[in-house]
Amino acid sequence: MTGVVRLLLADDEHLIRGALAALLSLEDDLVVVAEAASGPEALAMARAHQPDVAVLDLQMPGADGVKVATSLRAELPGCQVLIVTSHGRPGHLKRALAAGVRGFVPKTVSAQRLAEIIRTVHAGNRYVDPELAADAIAAGDSPLTVREAEVLELAADGAPVAEIAERAALSQGTVRNYLSSAVSKLGAENRHSAVRLARERGWV
Amino acid sequence: MTGVVRLLLADDEHLIRGALAALLSLEDDLVVVAEAASGPEALAMARAHQPDVAVLDLQMPGADGVKVATSLRAELPGCQVLIVTSHGRPGHLKRALAAGVRGFVPKTVSAQRLAEIIRTVHAGNRYVDPELAADAIAAGDSPLTVREAEVLELAADGAPVAEIAERAALSQGTVRNYLSSAVSKLGAENRHSAVRLARERGWV
DNA sequence: CACTCGGCATGACAAATGTCAGAGGCGGAG
DNA sequence: CTCCGCCTCTGACATTTGTCATGCCGAGTG
């Protein structure tokens, strides 16, 4: 019907990439035309080989899966992007969908299942792992106000309040206030874990 | 000669485990006799199938690779353990070697290379990825004193000083002192990043 | 033995952080 | 229009955290 699906595989873990290529090649209608071990390399390979579907790992050296996906959408509109990941953090899923990614699955799926999902994506449909989707929905929308998120982001690298205040053009008291409010909304113990939590949920 | 090597494969990522099993089975002298997706399951499988070599992922639900390795050494002395990991943090390597692990490699190696390493380990030799080994040596020994490390560990989950003091049976001033000393030795900005750094280097 | 050095421990003090009550503005409900 | 609720912002106050000077003790050294 749709003929053969040409695949680009990108993952920095050689072991997995090779194994994956071998397994997917067992499927008659799938063929791996290119492999890459980093974000930039994936882009270059995509330009050279014009795959139908790009299977990208979320975490890669250079540029992560979502960044590659964004570039790919612009350069090769006909190429659908499927993201595969070990760590299914809600924030990543949200970012990925916003970047035009068509599929998002954890590495816990079987190869057979992955092959099916590749076909689904190639047909123009979307696929998001139900469990990851549930997590993302459960995480919901950010309870943080604009300023709270802004201040929390400035606090991300452990900067002292004085520096945050200067960079945000606010008084130190105000900064403490926003930080405190964010910490309580997130149910965190201190600003550091608040930053971590917000990161995980994709709210900063 | 050595005959066939019977393997146990443990990795929570179904995709990778399956792919790996398929690739390693292509080697004439390797046979995968059991697979597991979690630490406890790996132990159970090992008891049931008595493999020659256990290939364990470092991060798994239940019990991590090193814990499984420790139990395995006790229960099945004839079974050599090889650890495979995505994130090669020096501390992990150190812990693993202390637990009697015979091999430690990142997932960036190729399947062919992995097969060779499995044979090396099965023959009773050790194998540690040169790059990871270099990192571990560069990280060196902990500059922290016993108490510093102890207090830093108690501070790991963001507990306030008062709680740490109580749990360590020290005055709050002393706890602050150790924390401060650890922070400066590690070149960190605050206790939280100190904890992170010490974790990365395997000093806590 | 006398001396020095480093780890362990403490409290006093200074600095950073967290918490609170409240003022001003802006938009929607009544 | 008026009121209410929310966001924004502030300074004062309380708590927590970080730094310092100091004392004690045991191990190693001349």
Side-chain angles (χ1 to χ4, degrees):
Chain A
M1 243 273 295
T2 55
V4 171
V5 183
R6 296 157 46 80
L7 297 176
L8 162 67
L9 240 51
D11 193 318
D12 59 322
E13 298 175 346
H14 199 290
L15 190 52
I16 287 146
R17 182 156 41 88
L20 214 50
L23 274 198
L24 290 177
S25 295
L26 295 181
E27 305 284 325
D28 292 338
D29 56 342
L30 303 180
V31 51
V32 177
V33 298
E35 294 187 19
S38 73
E41 195 183 339
L43 272 175
M45 283 300 196
R47 284 191 204 100
H49 295 90
Q50 307 271 326
D52 298 318
V53 176
V55 179
L56 308 177
D57 188 4
L58 191 54
Q59 47 239 145
M60 280 187 295
D64 75 10
V66 176
K67 279 188 191 144
V68 174
T70 307
S71 307
L72 234 41
R73 290 303 297 169
E75 293 191 33
L76 298 175
C79 173
Q80 309 290 6
V81 175
L82 172 61
I83 289 206
V84 176
T85 179
S86 316
H87 317 294
R89 301 237 297 279
H92 290 153
L93 174 53
K94 204 167 288 188
R95 278 202 310 139
L97 290 179
V101 165
R102 310 294 300 195
F104 198 95
V105 295
K107 282 184 180 169
T108 48
V109 301
S110 69
Q112 179 123 25
R113 191 88 194 79
L114 181 64
E116 287 170 26
I117 295 167
I118 288 173
R119 290 186 198 105
T120 301
V121 168
H122 179 242
N125 300 309
R126 295 194 181 196
Y127 180 87
V128 173
D129 179 75
E131 196 152 345
L132 291 181
D135 283 352
I137 291 166
D141 276 347
S142 174
L144 304 174
T145 68
V146 178
R147 284 292 180 291
E148 283 164 357
E150 191 179 322
V151 169
L152 198 57
E153 192 152 19
L154 288 172
D157 46 7
V161 173
E163 189 181 321
I164 300 172
E166 193 179 356
R167 289 216 269 164
L170 290 174
S171 91
Q172 300 200 5
T174 308
V175 170
R176 289 197 204 100
N177 212 190
Y178 283 139
L179 245 20
S180 176
S181 155
V183 164
S184 78
K185 278 181 181 175
L186 296 174
E189 288 301 315
N190 53 52
R191 70 166 79 179
H192 301 284
S193 53
V195 167
R196 192 165 37 75
L197 279 172
R199 276 266 158 80
E200 280 175 14
R201 291 165 164 65
W203 292 338
V204 295
Chain B
M1 245 254 301
T2 55
V4 171
V5 182
R6 295 158 46 79
L7 297 176
L8 162 67
L9 240 52
D11 192 320
D12 59 320
E13 298 175 345
H14 198 288
L15 191 52
I16 289 147
R17 181 157 39 90
L20 215 50
L23 275 198
L24 290 177
S25 295
L26 295 181
E27 306 285 324
D28 292 338
D29 56 342
L30 303 181
V31 51
V32 177
V33 297
E35 294 187 20
S38 74
E41 195 182 341
L43 272 176
M45 283 299 197
R47 283 192 205 103
H49 295 90
Q50 308 272 325
D52 299 317
V53 176
V55 179
L56 308 177
D57 188 5
L58 192 53
Q59 47 241 146
M60 281 187 294
D64 76 10
V66 177
K67 281 189 190 144
V68 175
T70 307
S71 306
L72 234 40
R73 291 301 297 169
E75 293 191 34
L76 299 175
C79 174
Q80 309 290 5
V81 176
L82 172 62
I83 289 208
V84 175
T85 178
S86 317
H87 316 295
R89 302 235 299 278
H92 290 154
L93 174 53
K94 204 166 289 187
R95 278 201 310 139
L97 291 180
V101 165
R102 310 294 301 196
F104 198 95
V105 295
K107 282 184 180 168
T108 48
V109 301
S110 70
Q112 180 123 25
R113 192 89 194 77
L114 182 64
E116 288 170 26
I117 295 166
I118 288 174
R119 290 187 199 104
T120 301
V121 167
H122 180 239
N125 299 310
R126 293 195 182 197
Y127 180 88
V128 173
D129 179 76
E131 196 153 345
L132 291 180
D135 283 350
I137 291 165
D141 276 346
S142 173
L144 303 175
T145 67
V146 178
R147 285 291 181 289
E148 283 164 358
E150 190 180 322
V151 169
L152 199 55
E153 192 153 19
L154 287 171
D157 46 6
V161 172
E163 190 181 322
I164 300 173
E166 194 178 355
R167 289 215 269 164
L170 290 174
S171 89
Q172 302 199 4
T174 308
V175 170
R176 289 196 203 98
N177 211 189
Y178 284 139
L179 246 21
S180 178
S181 156
V183 164
S184 79
K185 279 181 181 174
L186 296 175
E189 288 301 316
N190 52 53
R191 69 167 78 180
H192 301 286
S193 53
V195 167
R196 192 165 37 74
L197 280 172
R199 276 266 159 79
E200 279 173 15
R201 291 166 164 64
W203 292 339
V204 295

